[in-house]
Amino acid sequence: MRCNLYYMDAEEQLKGWFTGRLPEGWFTGRPEIVLDREEITVLGALPPLTVADDLPDVEKAAALEGYVERFREETRERRIDIAREAEHRFRRKVSWGVTAGEETVMFTTLSVPVMTRLRQPERQVLDTLVAAGVARSRSDALAWCVRLVGKHTDTWLADLRDALQHVDRVRAAGPDVVD
């Protein structure tokens, strides 16, 4: 039971560490820290680019793209240093991204192979997506399917994650059995 408490504490420590380690002024508010077994993703909101407010849509989009690229280049060295520290400390790779306006741009992401067994009907779905040019390979087709499901079930998945966190808290609060 202590191991669940330790994991919850470790996640809070990780988020707190990033909050304290990231330079002030990089993002508006606290960055979103998302983690799984392999990766820590740091996603921060950039301050609004007010000089682009009165620009036509095409120029505004180009200005935001330039703004994100400038942030990426200006913070590269510090982000690399912070990522190295975090990777050593938390034993996970670090990915970075920002939101600017309505856009989310990921600078780095980790692509992790996942083993799965599919029956013929599921393989046929993937093969159809490949044949239609939607995906380059079965792997890309499967990733496309997962993104599609995630996009259309965000609320349900969020409820499921909340329920799992509740289960972890209940387990952690359970009796400590000593042999």
Side-chain angles (χ1 to χ4, degrees):
M1 298 303 165
R2 296 222 182 267
C3 135
N4 284 333
L5 269 176
Y6 176 76
Y7 178 78
M8 290 168 54
D9 287 345
E11 185 175 340
E12 290 171 0
Q13 287 175 2
L14 179 140
K15 289 180 177 183
W17 185 86
F18 271 98
T19 299
R21 185 62 180 87
L22 294 174
E24 289 185 33
W26 270 15
F27 306 123
T28 58
R30 289 177 58 177
E32 180 183 357
I33 309 291
V34 180
L35 65 140
D36 65 14
R37 289 184 283 183
E38 292 86 18
E39 180 177 22
I40 301 165
T41 301
V42 180
L43 185 63
L46 295 180
L49 183 61
T50 54
V51 296
D53 285 345
D54 297 330
L55 297 177
D57 289 343
V58 173
E59 287 184 50
K60 185 182 285 189
L64 279 174
E65 184 179 333
Y67 179 44
V68 168
E69 283 302 313
R70 179 179 48 149
F71 176 84
R72 183 179 188 178
E73 292 303 318
E74 289 176 356
T75 62
R76 183 181 308 270
E77 294 297 321
R78 294 278 306 270
R79 285 186 295 107
I80 289 171
D81 290 342
I82 293 167
R84 282 187 184 135
E85 287 177 44
E87 288 168 7
H88 178 73
R89 182 181 187 110
F90 300 109
R91 306 277 188 246
R92 294 182 178 124
K93 290 290 184 187
V94 177
S95 297
W96 297 91
V98 295
T99 56
E102 301 296 314
E103 292 290 316
T104 297
V105 179
M106 296 303 299
F107 300 153
T108 53
T109 56
L110 190 59
S111 203
V112 178
V114 178
M115 180 72 79
T116 186
R117 296 183 190 279
L118 299 175
R119 298 197 188 291
Q120 188 176 33
E122 291 100 3
R123 292 191 313 267
Q124 287 175 333
V125 169
L126 300 180
D127 291 342
T128 300
L129 293 170
V130 171
V134 173
R136 293 185 315 261
S137 64
R138 282 181 171 176
S139 178
D140 285 344
L142 186 56
W144 182 86
C145 291
V146 169
R147 284 192 303 273
L148 184 65
V149 168
K151 185 182 215 180
H152 293 290
T153 58
D154 280 344
T155 303
W156 181 79
L157 287 172
D159 291 346
L160 187 58
R161 287 184 188 109
D162 289 345
L164 288 171
Q165 286 180 343
H166 178 71
V167 168
D168 282 345
R169 285 191 298 273
V170 170
R171 279 187 190 145
D176 216 7
V177 180
V178 179
D179 290 340

